[in-house]
Amino acid sequence: MTELLKPISTSFIKKDLSTRPPRTNEEEIGPNLQPTKSVASVDEAINALCSSPDRPLLWQSLKFVDPDRKKVTKFNISLPSSQAAQLLKPMVDHIIPTYWTELKASPKELKTFLRCIQNVSGIGAILAKLKSILSKSKYGKGQSAATNISPQLSEYIEVLSFTLQGNKFLSALWERIFEGQNAEIYAQGLWKELVTLLCKGRLLSISAEATQFLKASSEKLDTDFWVGNGANYSEWIGENVAFIASKYPPEESILWKSLGEFAGQALGLGYTGLIQRKFTALYYVLIIYTDHLVQKLYSRLLYAEEHLPKIRFLVLHMPAHQQRAFLHSSLRVLSLRYLKDIKLTNDELWWKIDSDIVSGIAAILSTIIKNDDCLMGDLVYWLVGGSTGELGGGTGIRRAAIAAMSSDHTRIQTILEQSMLNFGDNLYIQHTPIAQQELNAQVLLLTAGYVHRSTPMHLFTLARSSTHINAISNRLSATNLKSRLLGMLVGVAISELIDKPDKRMVFSMEEIGTLEAQWYKSLTKVEDCIGSIGALQKPDGIGKDIAIIRRPQETKQKPNEIKKLSTNISSNRQKQAESDSDDDLVAYQKPDSDPEDDDEDATLVQRNLPKAPVYIRDLLTGLRDTENYENHRLSLYAAAPLIRRKANFGSELSSHAVDLASILIGLGDKFNLPDFLRLRLQAMMALVSSLPAEMGPYFAKAFFVGDYSLGQRASILQAIGMGARALAGFKDEETSADAKEMFPLKTLPPTLHNLYVEMQLAASPSDSVERALTRDLIAPATKAALSNSSGQHLRALATRNKTTTRRDPSAKKPKPNALVPLVLPAFFSPLAGRWYQHIKAPLTRQSKESPLTSPYLLPPLLNTLSIIIHAAGPSPPFLGQMTTEYWDLLLALRTRALLDGTVMQAVLGGFLVLLQANSDKASWVRDLGVQVAEAGEWVKGVLEGERREEVRGLAVVVLGMIADVLRNEWQM
């Protein structure tokens, strides 16, 4: 029967305070209130609060139960009791809905009221009230129910925000709980209840649900409550933990035990991998902080050397799994906050540039793992296991981790031996991404240098063992060129440490003499030590993932031109001037028209017109100047030609390349320029093609870790792909600076015309090139393949096709392809390697959908990789490695391709480009025979279940080429 008694609707009537009679002079806010009667006991305070008190009586009641006056009143509302519960219930149920607006207007009354509810019971009562209101909202129907509940819900969530705000909340609450009069067991139980409320997600989940309900029910939410935001809430916990840790000495064992329990449970809230923005007047700085709680903790405790041991006391009182989580969070935060990318140089002492920062981080890590075998073992596994792929570029954090354990020779030897085992394992070589193999090689060489300096005989024994010999042998027999190169570098570097000059291992290859190879060999000479945190004591550590970008502003229209003033000249004066002319004088040649002299009023002539920039620093200034239309427009139009002109002119471009790239990526169209997207893309392409070794990896890094929109990330991919084609000598009509516009017979209205032109420009360059490549590879073959299911001669037909894109017609003979030596290190590896790191990241594995794997960015990424491989030419030296990595990447996306048609076309297009690039080679099929067969079976299944003709035609061609390749291999 109870199920039939459900309310049809629910409404709430809020007491209208405006109908109350106005206050007299005696009814002032605060301590000057003149009560009708005084409150002298707890029972009187309870009766007063339960009987709808007026303002004077409310103030007397709050003042009596104020926790700061507990020594006078002999009553503490912060501790659970029957009287405290009877006081808190009317405060939450009646006082907040009735007097909250007036309490906010009186600072002293507000502070007193908040102190009364700043306890475990008060917070629990507010959460229970919020949960009750949210449960009632489920019975309501439509917008009317939301309208009735929203004001009350907003009021209680605001009270909760006021109650918890500040970094001294936890400290004050701990002092009230662990007072001298309270038994330790009783206080610990109360503290565990607080941990359950704040650190196990109860408060955050209810607040987030309430905030989400308010956002959904109202079009505009006046206040974004921080208690409902997980990132802000985690930062609040970090600030409170840091404050209480900096306030108390390590001798307070009860406090550190309680604080360790609180911080350890708070680590389970998550909110890792998020991005913080710090705004200034004109720019915002993007700082990638992966753990908000740990980041705030370090930012508050690292300003003084004496606070460093307190981190160890905090970790010491956490369970083992929480200690491991704190260590991993520390590695991510310290790496991204303080360490920068090191540029490759010929100087063997490059590591001294940031040795003080590495030493400071090593001091922190050494403090965390001090005398703890479990954490030391976990750090060893982090260095040699699969977790090293999470961080990506740079060796600074690995140097710090190894330096933190440098005094433990046994641990360093263990790291070296385990790294060598992984380095030579055949399965590891074949199936581990190259980016992770590079990290393992760096750890191996770093530890080899430490072992050689401490116990050289151990390194000599290891180098002569079967482990080292088999590792180098397996590396040299690998099919991947990069894997072979790493084997050569490790073998040469270790041989230089232990062998005499005439007996050292030598490889006569060009790759051994490159700058990268010299940098790898110099890793054995790195000698970091545990230092002090003085280098880390900055207001804001500048990490490697910081980019200064123009702050987006509202779009404004182009400023109107200055109106011309007409001057009436009398006809008499004109006639007089004409009559005064002398026919005998020789007339001067008529001067060229000058636009600034068109005004008849000389006072309106503007002589100081902006000029196009001629230096890169002027270009930066013009692009940043979004207040001057002419200066900004001229800078944007001159960006691409100026970058190309300065490419081979000193170091002017290279010294400003990072700043210029960050500005171009985040540049917004404030003035609605008609060619904004094309001009910005041309400038980014010019930057990539002018400095490919530096800008290729930088743009790839910005695509994966930068805080950019989908459109900006797509423009990054277009710049990489089209920049690679420009470097290879291709010219594309869509992006060439001298492209001529077609004369339209009919045009849309200006507003619609500009809209569709922008949409076309935003999606045309790389997409049109990919469509052209695919069309030219399959067009002649598709018709024959559809009529002949055997698919014979598809390969011959496809290889005879020529792309519609044309090379530079001014070249009389083919020029060397400048992309060939840079295609792997500057273009392909940064994109493919960071893709594997992104997939292996914990946040990506936990989330169901990532923006980088969405149908909006995944197909452009695959198309860009296909364009890069095609632009490298028929036989680049790294084709085998690129084929192996790209083929595995495409196979990994088979399931996702079945869910989206655009991903399907990009995957099939990638297979087609790889088959075309390897059409004159047979050896690659022997190395990838199983993968090629798997791809053939998958394409066959796609062909059987696909109904779209475009995809079917592409699948037929790919399946025919795979069958042809396998048939030729079997015949051989």
Side-chain angles (χ1 to χ4, degrees), residues 9 68-69 75 86 124 186 208 235 259 276 359 397 403 448 455 558 573 581 623 646 652 666 684 778 815-816 871 890:
S9 63
D68 289 352
R69 301 181 70 248
F75 174 74
Q86 295 179 60
Y186 175 78
E235 290 182 358
L259 193 62
Q276 238 185 20
S359 299
I397 192 62
T455 54
K558 174 181 174 181
R573 295 188 60 182
S581 60
L623 292 176
K646 296 291 185 178
E652 183 182 359
M684 294 167 64
I778 70 172
K815 296 181 180 179
L890 294 174

Side-chain angles (χ1 to χ4, degrees), residues 216-474:
S217 60
S218 59
E219 297 181 357
K220 183 178 180 182
L221 188 62
D222 296 335
T223 306
D224 189 10
F225 300 107
W226 62 270
V227 290
N229 185 292
N232 295 336
Y233 185 76
S234 299
E235 290 182 358
W236 172 79
I237 291 181
E239 290 181 349
N240 276 266
V241 172
F243 178 81
I244 196 173
S246 62
K247 182 179 179 181
Y248 291 92
E251 291 77 16
E252 295 282 348
S253 59
I254 298 178
L255 178 136
W256 288 102
K257 181 180 179 180
S258 304
L259 193 62
E261 180 185 5
F262 186 91
Q265 292 291 344
L267 288 174
L269 291 175
Y271 297 98
T272 62
L274 299 178
I275 298 174
Q276 238 185 20
R277 301 180 181 181
K278 293 199 172 182
F279 290 91
T280 59
L282 295 177
Y283 301 94
Y284 60 82
V285 182
L286 304 180
I287 307 179
I288 314 300
Y289 291 139
T290 55
D291 300 77
H292 292 273
L293 191 154
V294 178
Q295 177 266 321
K296 280 295 181 182
L297 185 64
Y298 280 120
S299 64
R300 296 295 184 267
L301 290 182
L302 293 185
Y303 66 88
E305 192 81 29
E306 60 269 16
H307 292 328
L308 185 58
K310 296 182 179 180
I311 298 177
R312 175 57 189 165
F313 281 96
L314 183 64
V315 178
L316 188 63
H317 293 89
M318 296 181 184
H321 68 282
Q322 294 174 358
Q323 292 181 359
R324 184 162 51 251
F326 185 86
L327 176 61
H328 289 184
S329 298
S330 300
L331 291 168
R332 289 191 292 267
V333 169
L334 295 173
S335 172
L336 295 172
R337 180 175 175 85
Y338 294 106
L339 294 175
K340 301 178 182 178
D341 287 333
I342 299 296
K343 294 184 179 180
L344 301 181
T345 61
N346 293 321
D347 188 6
E348 292 184 351
L349 301 178
W350 56 267
W351 53 274
K352 289 190 175 181
I353 298 175
D354 60 346
S355 60
D356 54 344
I357 297 179
V358 173
S359 299
I361 297 177
I364 298 175
L365 297 178
S366 176
T367 303
I368 295 175
I369 65 175
K370 185 178 181 180
N371 299 328
D372 194 322
D373 293 337
C374 181
L375 286 180
M376 285 186 178
D378 191 69
L379 187 57
V380 170
Y381 175 76
W382 180 85
L383 285 169
V384 301
S387 298
T388 50
E390 296 178 6
L391 292 177
T395 60
I397 192 62
R398 294 164 192 79
R399 290 165 49 195
I402 295 173
M405 297 183 291
S406 59
S407 59
D408 192 343
H409 301 317
T410 303
R411 300 281 183 184
I412 297 297
Q413 293 173 6
T414 302
I415 296 173
L416 176 61
E417 294 171 359
Q418 188 61 44
S419 299
M420 185 64 73
L421 288 174
N422 292 341
F423 188 74
D425 185 71
N426 280 322
L427 292 177
Y428 185 88
I429 297 173
Q430 294 176 6
H431 300 289
T432 305
I434 290 297
Q436 192 167 338
Q437 295 186 36
E438 290 176 347
L439 300 181
N440 184 73
Q442 294 170 14
V443 172
L444 193 156
L445 294 176
L446 286 170
T447 52
Y450 280 89
V451 172
H452 176 69
R453 288 186 291 270
S454 60
T455 54
M457 184 53 65
H458 183 85
L459 181 64
F460 181 83
T461 304
L462 180 63
R464 295 292 186 266
S465 65
S466 60
T467 302
H468 176 71
I469 295 174
N470 291 335
I472 301 301
S473 176
N474 293 339

